[in-house]
Amino acid sequence: MAKQKLIIEVRVNEGAMRQNSPHVPYSPEEIAGQAVDCWRQGASVVHYHARDPETGAPSSDVELYADVVRRIRRESDLITFPTLGASMLPTAQERLAHIVEMAKDPATRPDCIPVDMLTTNLDWYDSERKAFNSVDRVYLNTTQMLTYLCETTAAIGVRPVSMIWDVSGVRLSEAFLEMGLYKDPLFCEVTLFGDRFVSFGHPATIRGLHALLDFFPKQADWQWLTSVIGGNPFPALAGAIEAGGHVAIGVADHPFKELGYPTNAELVARVVELARSMGREVATAAEAREMLGLTGGEG
Amino acid sequence: MAKQKLIIEVRVNEGAMRQNSPHVPYSPEEIAGQAVDCWRQGASVVHYHARDPETGAPSSDVELYADVVRRIRRESDLITFPTLGASMLPTAQERLAHIVEMAKDPATRPDCIPVDMLTTNLDWYDSERKAFNSVDRVYLNTTQMLTYLCETTAAIGVRPVSMIWDVSGVRLSEAFLEMGLYKDPLFCEVTLFGDRFVSFGHPATIRGLHALLDFFPKQADWQWLTSVIGGNPFPALAGAIEAGGHVAIGVADHPFKELGYPTNAELVARVVELARSMGREVATAAEAREMLGLTGGEG
């Protein structure tokens, strides 16, 4: 049986600044331009954060979010996967507000949004100073907030993607499937964290990945991506490609100094090469839509 | 080389009621009596919650906590491991208040207390109703609160035990060791959760256990126990015995209807039999103190 084609997501900018990587896009024009470049290389999903076009500051401006979708759709059939106002905004309603606005117009309705399936401390440890950089950051996603995000996005025609950081996220996703808050096939993303001693998540190693995959229900038709924040993702991505999953990459998760600060499109090209070496062909955006059960493609 | 001797902890009552198991102790006399019975069978550590002697309601009454230690020390050298006022009390100061009081008198100073190394949602899922029994319970343990618990207990001569629920708890424990908040050898307890689809922790299987052990640092001199909440613990405990760890058991974590509602002492006797079958001898409380680097034994 032929191996399932590989879905590649590009995570173009997150909250990273150009001091980290010179290739982090800020404006809608830059974000959409890079997304389309990545699509030409083989990416089928684009995850992005709206940013102030001049300063790069995080933004929840609905027009900045919507403009990205419009520009992308002029040139491609990429699956659009904008972020929520997660780290900035305290309530689920505020986090989802720009998505609800975007969904009112089919031309700017995004295909999917991330739902982080946990509440956790979110402090980074500094190994050199032997101290935490913060001691009181809590990323709150109560069961009620997660339920709201799933129910509301279902009502507006946007697909919630289960973002799994730990084993409890696997169990919670199963419960949400049983409750009908997620639909089969589950579309989920395993997020690993490469930094040493962070106060959340699994290490960005093949072992860190498998310690989550081992708890996926048998015979489940889950379509899962793997992403890595804070470290070189290629070992974990190779693990995902071998295990039949999909992959995400981007200059914002890791600047890739060791590769001479490549662009997002260059990273996608590297993933395509790795996949071919390992015997996986790359899915087009249209094929990815079918595999993920996404209707979309408006506008 | 001879295998390390097995430390057995009995978790006598937690928040369980006699409707769950007829053998849940409430009063200090009942708690201490059962603890000593368990010690005679081979237990070396006792974890307990103070409870209203009549109603069984959870209590933070320092005299109830202290009376248990006094009664236990009259008859045994058990390692005392009282709980914090965790689920009832919002601040770390309040959770630790009874321990600080107990520590003022060497006769009632407990040996160690649990520090839950995570912030998490704490909602239980009801598979029959296909709904969560709560949707907004958050168990808050910020990095700051965890730091306070470790620093304060160190100052009063009580050992903090790292309670690890997920992989991030392993990473956080490493950071706390590096910061000097924990001392070598790390004394930790891996807690697994047997209920289906809880919103926290790893499943109570050997695989669930190994998905934590796999991230323990190599060559680390960690002394780890394994406990299971909400399910039959024997598979996971067998995994811990094989892997060189230690074990915890009690009627409050699981009523053992399948075994005819045994007492805590009967459960300890079963663990001793299992350990011997698997080639592990059982540590006395004195041996356990030495392995864990506990001085204690006052009063």
Side-chain angles (χ1 to χ4, degrees):
Chain A
M1 199 178 85
K3 288 177 185 164
Q4 174 173 248
K5 287 189 177 179
L6 182 74
I7 298 171
I8 302 174
E9 171 193 334
V10 61
R11 295 162 49 88
V12 289
N13 62 352
E14 294 292 305
M17 302 303 288
R18 293 213 179 111
Q19 290 91 306
N20 306 122
S21 162
H23 303 301
V24 176
Y26 291 163
S27 71
E29 186 173 3
E30 291 163 355
I31 295 169
Q34 289 201 17
V36 172
D37 287 348
C38 292
W39 171 74
R40 292 204 174 98
Q41 294 295 333
S44 46
V45 182
V46 56
H47 177 64
Y48 68 96
H49 291 226
R51 310 283 293 271
D52 181 281
E54 300 302 322
T55 66
S59 173
S60 291
D61 186 316
V62 63
E63 185 46 36
L64 291 176
Y65 274 98
D67 195 25
V68 172
V69 174
R70 272 191 223 102
R71 287 173 181 270
I72 285 173
R73 291 202 177 142
R74 243 175 254 154
E75 301 186 62
S76 79
D77 61 348
L78 266 169
I79 295 167
T80 53
F81 185 25
T83 200
L84 306 184
S87 50
M88 294 179 289
L89 303 170
T91 70
Q93 286 74 6
E94 289 169 283
R95 291 181 197 172
L96 201 61
H98 60 294
I99 304 294
V100 171
E101 283 304 308
M102 291 165 82
K104 288 177 179 169
D105 179 355
T108 60
R109 181 188 300 139
D111 292 290
C112 45
I113 55 103
V115 179
D116 289 317
M117 298 296 282
L118 82 170
T119 290
T120 183
N121 291 342
L122 205 61
D123 299 312
W124 267 262
Y125 182 73
D126 182 334
S127 285
E128 295 196 5
R129 289 197 305 117
K130 298 196 178 183
F132 278 89
N133 289 332
S134 62
V135 293
D136 57 359
R137 289 186 72 203
V138 174
Y139 182 29
L140 191 72
N141 288 289
T142 64
T143 305
Q144 188 162 41
M145 292 168 73
L146 298 174
T147 302
Y148 170 86
L149 293 175
C150 290
E151 287 178 344
T152 306
T153 50
I156 61 177
V158 174
R159 181 77 168 277
V161 180
S162 172
M163 305 296 285
I164 294 174
W165 297 31
D166 60 20
V167 174
S168 72
V170 179
R171 305 173 97 177
L172 196 54
S173 296
E174 287 191 81
F176 271 43
L177 273 168
E178 192 168 284
M179 294 166 77
L181 293 169
Y182 287 133
K183 308 295 180 195
D184 282 314
L186 181 71
F187 179 11
C188 63
E189 182 166 325
V190 168
T191 301
L192 307 174
F193 295 90
D195 287 308
R196 193 166 163 255
F197 302 165
V198 291
S199 59
F200 44 90
H202 283 214
T205 59
I206 294 175
R207 189 76 217 96
L209 171 65
H210 278 280
L212 290 162
L213 299 185
D214 284 352
F215 300 96
F216 280 26
K218 308 294 176 214
Q219 275 118 28
D221 184 25
W222 290 17
Q223 291 286 5
W224 53 276
L225 289 136
T226 298
S227 54
V228 166
I229 294 176
N232 185 302
F234 281 101
L237 300 192
I241 294 168
E242 183 212 31
H246 306 288
V247 298
I249 198 166
V251 300
D253 292 332
H254 180 61
F256 294 93
K257 181 183 176 188
E258 68 275 29
L259 298 177
Y261 298 103
T263 64
N264 279 311
E266 287 166 349
L267 287 175
V268 171
R270 278 187 183 267
V271 170
V272 171
E273 281 306 301
L274 175 64
R276 289 196 176 134
S277 297
M278 295 177 69
R280 289 277 299 272
E281 290 302 315
V282 172
T284 65
E287 289 166 336
R289 278 182 197 280
E290 188 167 354
M291 291 158 73
L292 299 170
L294 285 170
T295 49
E298 311 281 352
Chain B
M1 200 178 86
K3 289 178 186 165
Q4 176 174 247
K5 287 189 177 180
L6 182 74
I7 298 171
I8 302 175
E9 172 193 334
V10 63
R11 295 162 48 87
V12 289
N13 62 352
E14 294 293 304
M17 301 303 288
R18 294 215 178 109
Q19 292 89 305
N20 307 121
S21 162
H23 304 299
V24 175
Y26 292 163
S27 71
E29 187 172 3
E30 291 163 356
I31 294 169
Q34 289 202 15
V36 171
D37 287 348
C38 292
W39 171 73
R40 293 203 175 97
Q41 293 296 333
S44 47
V45 182
V46 57
H47 176 66
Y48 68 96
H49 291 225
R51 310 282 295 270
D52 181 280
E54 299 302 322
T55 67
S59 172
S60 291
D61 187 315
V62 63
E63 186 45 37
L64 291 176
Y65 273 98
D67 195 25
V68 173
V69 174
R70 271 190 225 102
R71 287 172 181 271
I72 285 173
R73 291 201 178 144
R74 242 175 256 153
E75 300 187 64
S76 79
D77 61 348
L78 265 170
I79 295 167
T80 52
F81 185 25
T83 201
L84 305 186
S87 51
M88 294 178 289
L89 303 170
T91 70
Q93 285 75 6
E94 290 169 284
R95 290 181 197 171
L96 201 61
H98 59 294
I99 304 294
V100 171
E101 282 305 309
M102 293 164 81
K104 288 177 180 169
D105 180 355
T108 60
R109 181 187 300 140
D111 292 291
C112 44
I113 55 102
V115 178
D116 290 317
M117 298 296 283
L118 82 170
T119 290
T120 184
N121 291 341
L122 205 61
D123 300 312
W124 268 260
Y125 183 73
D126 182 335
S127 285
E128 294 196 5
R129 290 196 304 114
K130 298 196 180 185
F132 278 88
N133 289 331
S134 61
V135 293
D136 57 0
R137 289 187 72 204
V138 173
Y139 182 29
L140 192 72
N141 289 289
T142 64
T143 304
Q144 188 161 43
M145 293 166 74
L146 299 174
T147 302
Y148 170 85
L149 293 175
C150 290
E151 287 178 344
T152 306
T153 49
I156 61 177
V158 174
R159 181 76 169 275
V161 180
S162 173
M163 306 296 285
I164 293 174
W165 297 31
D166 60 21
V167 174
S168 72
V170 180
R171 304 173 99 179
L172 195 54
S173 296
E174 288 192 81
F176 271 44
L177 273 169
E178 192 167 284
M179 294 166 76
L181 293 168
Y182 287 133
K183 307 295 180 196
D184 282 314
L186 182 71
F187 178 10
C188 63
E189 182 165 326
V190 168
T191 302
L192 308 173
F193 295 89
D195 287 308
R196 193 166 164 256
F197 302 164
V198 290
S199 59
F200 45 89
H202 283 213
T205 59
I206 294 175
R207 187 76 215 96
L209 172 65
H210 277 280
L212 289 162
L213 300 184
D214 284 352
F215 300 97
F216 279 26
K218 307 294 176 215
Q219 275 117 30
D221 183 25
W222 290 16
Q223 291 286 4
W224 54 277
L225 289 136
T226 299
S227 55
V228 165
I229 294 176
N232 185 303
F234 281 102
L237 300 192
I241 294 168
E242 183 211 32
H246 307 288
V247 299
I249 198 166
V251 301
D253 293 330
H254 180 61
F256 294 91
K257 182 182 176 188
E258 68 274 29
L259 298 177
Y261 298 104
T263 64
N264 279 311
E266 287 165 349
L267 288 174
V268 170
R270 279 188 183 266
V271 169
V272 171
E273 280 307 299
L274 175 64
R276 290 197 176 134
S277 297
M278 294 177 70
R280 292 274 301 268
E281 290 301 316
V282 172
T284 65
E287 289 167 336
R289 277 182 198 280
E290 188 168 354
M291 292 158 72
L292 299 171
L294 286 169
T295 49
E298 311 282 352

